[in-house]
Amino acid sequence: DIQMTQSPSSLSASVGDRVTITCRASQSIRTYLNWYQQKPGKAPKFLIYAASSLQSGVPSRFSGSGSGTDFTLTISSLQPEDFATYYCQQSYSTPITFGQGTRLEIK
Amino acid sequence: EVQLVESGGGLVQPGGSLRLSCVASGFTLSNYWMHWVRQAPGKGLVWVSRINNDGNNTIHADSVKGRFTISRDNAKNTLYLQMNSLRAEDTAVYYCARAPYYDFFRLDYWGQGTLVTVSS
């Protein structure tokens, strides 16, 4: 199975900050990498596919990059509604696997 | 509007069974592969099972293989997860999610989840 490792596990930031979350795969997954946002008690929301393509309706302050084994999710200017947990997920092979999550908290 | 609504969760004793359902609306279910993903309390997301669009190809995570069965009834717009021989470690919120035909593992819409608690 492909292991996905996110860093940091948690992050404190302020409204307006630029933040970056990193996701590393245990082997190359080319650009088969998706990102999700989850708020407490809610279902995950799909944000980014193919490492860097924004899902329709997702604000442009979100962006993704990377290929191979190293990927990043960047939020250019944090808004109050962005405080949540973020997960990366590889879609390269079965079983699909998720990172352990990065909890983004208000400083 | 795309909607996925899970039901069937609850409290069950170890060794017991449950069947989860996921009713789809706002799109044509038969055009999509479907997945179940679970999340134990306070933990991360773990993929459980997936089924292709016409139901003749399924795969399950090793942790549930032989105990869980994913199935679907496209005429009823419904996805199922039959869970047998339940264990305490199966306690989780179970989400159904859809994946478009052009990317079978891109989970673009999720249901709100249904909680399964395995305890005596």
Side-chain angles (χ1 to χ4, degrees):
Chain A
D1 298 1
I2 298 174
Q3 306 303 316
M4 306 300 294
T5 304
Q6 290 180 230
S7 61
S9 295
S10 63
L11 175 60
S12 294
S14 300
V15 173
D17 284 354
R18 177 185 179 91
V19 300
T20 296
I21 297 168
T22 297
C23 177
R24 175 164 289 176
S26 60
Q27 65 181 74
S28 176
I29 57 171
R30 296 162 59 183
T31 57
Y32 289 91
L33 192 283
N34 303 318
W35 289 98
Y36 302 84
Q37 175 195 67
Q38 188 179 32
K39 297 181 179 179
K42 301 294 186 182
K45 176 186 174 182
F46 181 52
L47 295 179
I48 289 173
Y49 63 95
S52 61
S53 297
L54 216 58
Q55 171 71 344
S56 176
V58 174
S60 59
R61 62 181 179 272
F62 290 90
S63 64
S65 66
S67 65
T69 60
D70 294 313
F71 303 87
T72 60
L73 171 70
T74 299
I75 309 172
S76 59
S77 178
L78 275 173
Q79 299 301 300
E81 60 268 30
D82 300 336
F83 292 94
T85 299
Y86 292 85
Y87 293 93
C88 61
Q89 173 237 327
Q90 64 83 14
S91 57
Y92 182 77
S93 67
T94 303
I96 61 174
T97 46
F98 294 86
Q100 81 279 15
T102 295
R103 184 176 178 183
L104 179 53
E105 301 173 318
I106 301 174
K107 184 182 288 184
Chain B
E1 178 191 7
V2 172
Q3 280 199 316
L4 295 165
V5 180
E6 301 96 335
S7 61
L11 175 63
V12 60
Q13 292 188 338
S17 299
L18 277 178
R19 188 176 82 156
L20 306 184
S21 299
C22 168
V23 177
S25 61
F27 67 100
T28 303
L29 184 65
S30 58
N31 289 342
Y32 291 82
W33 287 32
M34 296 296 293
H35 298 252
W36 288 98
V37 176
R38 68 184 181 184
Q39 186 171 37
K43 302 297 185 182
L45 302 169
V46 177
W47 174 81
V48 174
S49 304
R50 75 102 176 112
I51 187 168
N52 72 336
N53 60 318
D54 60 12
N56 63 8
N57 188 292
T58 64
I59 189 167
H60 299 82
D62 286 346
S63 59
V64 306
K65 200 172 294 182
R67 301 187 298 123
F68 289 12
T69 302
I70 188 172
S71 63
R72 64 194 294 160
D73 185 337
N74 288 336
K76 294 183 177 180
N77 293 317
T78 304
L79 173 75
Y80 302 101
L81 185 67
Q82 178 66 44
M83 305 187 296
N84 298 331
S85 303
L86 282 161
R87 306 167 180 167
E89 55 265 35
D90 296 319
T91 294
V93 174
Y94 284 74
Y95 296 100
C96 63
R98 77 170 199 181
Y101 68 90
Y102 45 85
D103 188 341
F104 301 139
F105 303 123
R106 180 191 306 181
L107 308 181
D108 65 356
Y109 280 92
W110 298 56
Q112 85 289 348
T114 187
L115 176 62
V116 172
T117 303
V118 184
S119 174
S120 54

